[in-house]
Amino acid sequence: MDIDEDLKESGAHADNSTVKPFPSSSDELNSLKWHKVSVRWSPQLDKLSNIDPQKISRLGTLNLVVHPDFQIAKGSDGTEVFLGLKDDGTEVAVKRMLKSNYQVLKNEEEFLRLPQLDSTWIVRYVDFAEDENFGYLVLQLCEYSLDEYIKDHLPEDKMPVLKKIVLDVLSSLSVLHSQNTKILHRDIKPKNVLIDVTGRARLADFGISRQLNMGQTTLHTNTAGTKCWKATETLVEGSAFGYKRSTDIQVAGMLIYYILSAGEHPFGKGFHCEHNIFKGKYTLEHIDDEVAKDLVEWMINKDPDKRPTVEETLAHPYFWTEDRRTEYMQRIGNLEEAENCRSADPELLKRLDHLADGKSFSNWKSKMPAELIQKLDGKKKPYPENTLGLMRFLRNLHEHYPGDRVDVMTMFPDLFGCVFKFAKMQEWNSRSTLRTFFQRVDIRT
C-alpha cells in the first residue's frame, strides 16, 4: 500500500476545518521548512520535508503525514506517535489518539501546559490540535526511549552516562514532587523516559498523572501504572488505595536499578515480579557500587514511610563529588572512635573488620607511600592497620601535611562505600559534624 492509499484509509484528510491538505499553489510547492536537530530521525524528516505537498495534512501550523514511514512509536492504548514539522521548521513528535478515548491525551496536555513543568527534565509541550476523529498532542522530539537507549546505544564507558541519567530522572521527579507542584506521575517506567539529542533524560507521558490539592498528601484512587512497575501498596486487593509521592519513589527506585544494571529489574522478571514486589523480595546483584545499592534499597523499601523523599535521594552520597566524599572521610577520621583507633572497642573493630574483609584497603600501610607512613608513624604510637586507623591517618595527613596528597579514591576505590555503610549502620551520620553532608546541595547540571 502506498502513502496515498494509507492516507485515504486513515482519514487524515477528513472533511473538516482543522485538518487541511497542504496548499498547492506554485509558490508553496517548495519543501517544508526544517531546522535540522535530530540525528536519529533525520532521514525520515528529510523525506517528510520534501514529500509531495498533496500528501501532507495540516493542523494549524503543524504538518504531518499519517503513514507508517513516519510513525515512531505506538502505545497499547491506541496512541500512535508520528514525526511532524511545524511551519517554522521545528521538529516535533505528534501523539494521535481517537477522540472517543482521548481523555488521557487531554489530561497529559493539561499537565504539560503547567508553567511548573517547563523544565529541562520534562519532555516539552509544543501544541495541541484536534479534528473530527482524533486528538493530537505535539511534543518535543527526542531520540530514544530509555529502554532503547540502554539496550542498544550506550557508549563504551557507560557508567558515567548511566549515573547522569539517574540524576536526570530524579531531577525530573523533584520537579513533579515539589511543594508548589505536587504531581504524582503514577506510570514511571523505562518507556516513559526519553533521551533527547543532547543525551539528557526527560520524563514523559503524564496521561494518568494526578495532582494533589493544597495541603493534601494522599490521593485515594484506583490502581494505576504498568505491570511490574507498580509500588507495593498498589498491589493490595481492593478498589482504591492511598497514592502518595512515596509511591512514585519506590517505582523510581526500580527504574534506577534498571538503569544502573543496564536492563535488570530488582524484583525479577516475568510471572514472579509483582509477587516479589508485594513480598518485598529483591536482589541487587547486578550492580557492584555499594553506595548505589544503598540508594536503591532505600527507595524500594516495602514500607512507604521508610522511603526517602526525592530531595533526600538527590542529597544521597551516590551523587557526591570526589572532593565531598574525601571531606566526609576526613570528618569520620575526626570522630572520637577514630581518634581512639589505637584503643578502640573490640566489638566495634570486629564489625568494621567484617565489613572491610577482602576490600582494596586491607593491609593499607603496604599500599601507601613508605615515606608518608614513616612520617606519621614516627610522631607517636603507629597507626593500627585497620579501617579506623586508616581514617585517622588520612585525617592527620590532611590536617598536618596538606602538601602531601594521596589519591585515596583511586588507591582504594571501595573505601568510601565501606566507610559510609558502616557509619550509617552505627548511626554516626546523624551526628552534628556529619549531618550537614546529607542536606540537598546543588549538584544538577
Side-chain angles (χ1 to χ4, degrees), residues 197-261:
V197 73
T198 70
R200 184 185 292 275
R202 293 173 178 262
L203 192 57
D205 204 334
F206 295 84
I208 59 173
S209 297
R210 296 292 184 268
Q211 189 168 27
L212 296 170
N213 297 325
M214 186 67 67
Q216 188 180 19
T217 61
T218 305
L219 177 72
H220 294 281
T221 176
N222 292 334
T223 185
T226 301
K227 186 176 177 62
C228 292
W229 297 99
K230 296 179 181 179
T232 303
E233 58 272 22
T234 72
L235 300 176
V236 177
E237 291 291 334
S239 59
F241 67 94
Y243 206 113
K244 300 183 178 183
R245 281 172 282 194
S246 60
T247 313
D248 272 351
I249 289 291
Q250 189 187 28
V251 185
M254 301 175 201
L255 182 64
I256 287 173
Y257 186 82
Y258 177 93
I259 294 168
L260 295 178
S261 65

Side-chain angles (χ1 to χ4, degrees), residues 363-385:
N363 303 314
W364 60 268
K365 283 190 174 182
S366 64
K367 300 167 187 176
M368 282 280 184
E371 61 274 15
L372 291 184
I373 299 294
Q374 293 171 2
K375 185 184 292 187
L376 272 77
D377 268 354
K379 295 295 180 180
K380 53 175 69 176
K381 187 178 179 180
Y383 293 88
E385 201 165 17

Side-chain angles (χ1 to χ4, degrees), residues 187-190 223-232 234-235 250-255 258 264-278 300:
D187 198 18
I188 295 170
K189 59 184 178 183
T223 185
T226 301
K227 186 176 177 62
C228 292
W229 297 99
K230 296 179 181 179
T232 303
T234 72
L235 300 176
Q250 189 187 28
V251 185
M254 301 175 201
L255 182 64
Y258 177 93
E264 300 293 336
H265 197 294
F267 293 98
K269 297 179 180 179
F271 176 78
H272 298 288
C273 181
E274 289 201 342
H275 176 76
N276 290 339
I277 294 172
F278 183 74
I300 65 174

Side-chain angles (χ1 to χ4, degrees), residues 157-375:
D157 186 16
K158 65 182 182 180
M159 287 315 300
V161 174
L162 294 177
K163 187 172 185 176
K164 177 62 168 61
I165 292 174
V166 168
L167 182 56
D168 288 345
V169 168
L170 290 176
S171 296
S172 70
L173 203 56
S174 75
V175 174
L176 300 190
H177 286 190
S178 66
Q179 284 303 313
N180 66 340
T181 307
K182 298 178 71 172
I183 292 174
L184 309 175
H185 188 278
R186 303 208 309 160
D187 198 18
I188 295 170
K189 59 184 178 183
K191 289 185 178 179
N192 286 345
V193 176
L194 303 180
I195 308 298
D196 69 19
V197 73
T198 70
R200 184 185 292 275
R202 293 173 178 262
L203 192 57
D205 204 334
F206 295 84
I208 59 173
S209 297
R210 296 292 184 268
Q211 189 168 27
L212 296 170
N213 297 325
M214 186 67 67
Q216 188 180 19
T217 61
T218 305
L219 177 72
H220 294 281
T221 176
N222 292 334
T223 185
T226 301
K227 186 176 177 62
C228 292
W229 297 99
K230 296 179 181 179
T232 303
E233 58 272 22
T234 72
L235 300 176
V236 177
E237 291 291 334
S239 59
F241 67 94
Y243 206 113
K244 300 183 178 183
R245 281 172 282 194
S246 60
T247 313
D248 272 351
I249 289 291
Q250 189 187 28
V251 185
M254 301 175 201
L255 182 64
I256 287 173
Y257 186 82
Y258 177 93
I259 294 168
L260 295 178
S261 65
E264 300 293 336
H265 197 294
F267 293 98
K269 297 179 180 179
F271 176 78
H272 298 288
C273 181
E274 289 201 342
H275 176 76
N276 290 339
I277 294 172
F278 183 74
K279 292 294 185 180
K281 183 180 178 181
Y282 59 86
T283 177
L284 304 179
E285 64 181 354
H286 298 102
I287 55 177
D288 297 324
D289 189 321
E290 291 297 328
V291 187
K293 286 182 180 181
D294 181 81
L295 173 60
V296 171
E297 198 165 30
W298 193 15
M299 294 178 72
I300 65 174
N301 196 302
K302 183 180 177 182
D303 184 348
D305 293 333
K306 293 181 180 178
R307 298 170 198 156
T309 65
V310 67
E311 291 300 315
E312 287 173 326
T313 68
L314 286 164
H316 191 272
Y318 179 63
F319 300 112
W320 292 358
T321 62
E322 284 198 3
D323 286 346
R324 190 172 181 82
R325 291 184 174 203
T326 300
E327 184 183 353
Y328 171 82
M329 289 196 294
Q330 289 165 359
R331 294 276 187 92
I332 293 287
N334 215 28
L335 296 180
E336 181 181 357
E337 289 84 350
E339 186 177 3
N340 297 328
C341 61
R342 296 174 182 84
S343 55
D345 174 28
E347 283 300 316
L348 180 69
L349 289 178
K350 184 178 179 181
R351 290 194 296 272
L352 185 52
D353 287 344
H354 176 72
L355 200 63
D357 184 44
K359 298 295 192 297
S360 64
F361 49 91
S362 297
N363 303 314
W364 60 268
K365 283 190 174 182
S366 64
K367 300 167 187 176
M368 282 280 184
E371 61 274 15
L372 291 184
I373 299 294
Q374 293 171 2
K375 185 184 292 187

Side-chain angles (χ1 to χ4, degrees), residues 5-22:
E5 291 172 334
D6 273 0
L7 288 174
K8 289 176 184 175
E9 288 201 4
S10 70
H13 291 303
D15 184 19
N16 58 74
S17 59
T18 56
V19 177
K20 304 174 183 177
F22 195 81

Side-chain angles (χ1 to χ4, degrees), residues 124-142:
R124 191 175 67 252
Y125 170 83
V126 177
D127 202 357
F128 189 88
E130 55 185 24
D131 62 24
E132 188 176 290
N133 300 305
F134 297 96
Y136 302 82
L137 179 60
V138 187
L139 303 168
Q140 168 191 9
L141 179 63
C142 291

